[in-house]
Amino acid sequence: MQRHAFDQHYTDKPACAACDAPPAWRTYPVRKINVPTFIRHPKDFWTGFIFLLFGLAAVYIGQDYPMGTAGRMGPAYFPTILGSLLAMIGLIAVFRSCVRPGDAIGKFHIREIVLILSAIILFGILMRGAGLVPAVVLLVLLSSYASPQFTWRASLLLALGMAVFSVVVFVKLLGLPIAIFGPWFSF
């Protein structure tokens, strides 16, 4: 029987049958946690809470538009259905966090978040002026720099591969009016 998700196996029997050593849960201090004891898996709890929050927000915002029917969907139909599904997934995750034991939440990686968000923002800014290829290359290089396993060689190969793939798919195959190289690089 386990008392808590963060305790080791809880038993009143000695750890060793040959000696009278106390059980392991008495000899090692229990980790302090900052969440209520009914939450056994903090990662699932906060993930489910965020899903639930975004799902309910989509349903609430969708109420301002006409719903329509399944045959003739209105502007509120898609966000309401997706928001409801996301909220249900969030509710399931929150419920699971109270039932299933799991790990505590680790370190918050602020540097990596800032690098990835700035790469996405720069991609949006560079698309018009620099074009698709420079924007994709910078996006991949800057976001891969956030990884602890970052190497220039692998990142450059990935960036060039993604740039070629983006040009082939979006410009050549789909025919989207995206400049491969923008006006900043007019040769």
Side-chain angles (χ1 to χ4, degrees):
M1 171 181 156
Q2 280 190 335
R3 273 186 142 180
H4 197 277
F6 299 105
D7 289 344
Q8 296 298 321
H9 295 287
Y10 174 75
T11 178
D12 285 330
K13 296 177 184 173
C16 176
C19 62
D20 283 335
W25 65 271
R26 288 189 187 161
T27 57
Y28 300 109
V30 177
R31 291 191 302 186
K32 297 258 186 202
I33 56 172
N34 295 329
V35 294
T37 55
F38 64 89
I39 298 173
R40 299 177 71 190
H41 198 305
K43 287 181 183 179
D44 272 0
F45 176 77
W46 289 111
T47 301
F49 179 75
I50 291 170
F51 282 5
L52 188 63
L53 187 72
F54 276 102
L56 292 177
V59 170
Y60 179 74
I61 292 170
Q63 287 179 344
D64 292 339
Y65 302 106
M67 183 68 148
T69 64
R72 290 190 53 85
M73 297 177 199
Y77 194 87
F78 191 67
T80 302
I81 296 299
L82 282 183
S84 301
L85 289 173
L86 188 62
M88 281 195 307
I89 291 170
L91 199 59
I92 290 168
V94 167
F95 176 74
R96 267 184 23 175
S97 73
C98 297
V99 176
R100 195 181 77 164
D103 298 332
I105 296 174
K107 176 186 163 196
F108 190 69
H109 301 278
I110 191 74
R111 176 186 167 268
E112 290 81 358
I113 291 173
V114 168
L115 280 171
I116 292 171
L117 286 176
S118 61
I120 294 169
I121 291 169
L122 278 174
F123 176 81
I125 292 170
L126 291 176
M127 272 299 291
R128 286 191 184 216
L132 181 64
V133 171
V136 167
V137 167
L138 189 66
L139 170 77
V140 172
L141 286 177
L142 195 56
S143 58
S144 64
Y145 186 68
S147 171
Q149 292 91 16
F150 173 80
T151 61
W152 278 105
R153 183 176 184 273
S155 298
L156 281 172
L157 285 173
L158 180 63
L160 292 176
M162 283 298 295
V164 169
F165 176 79
S166 299
V167 168
V168 169
V169 170
F170 297 114
V171 177
K172 301 299 180 190
L173 294 177
L174 294 176
L176 296 177
I178 300 173
I180 296 174
F181 289 98
W184 295 351
F185 294 106
S186 58
F187 307 117

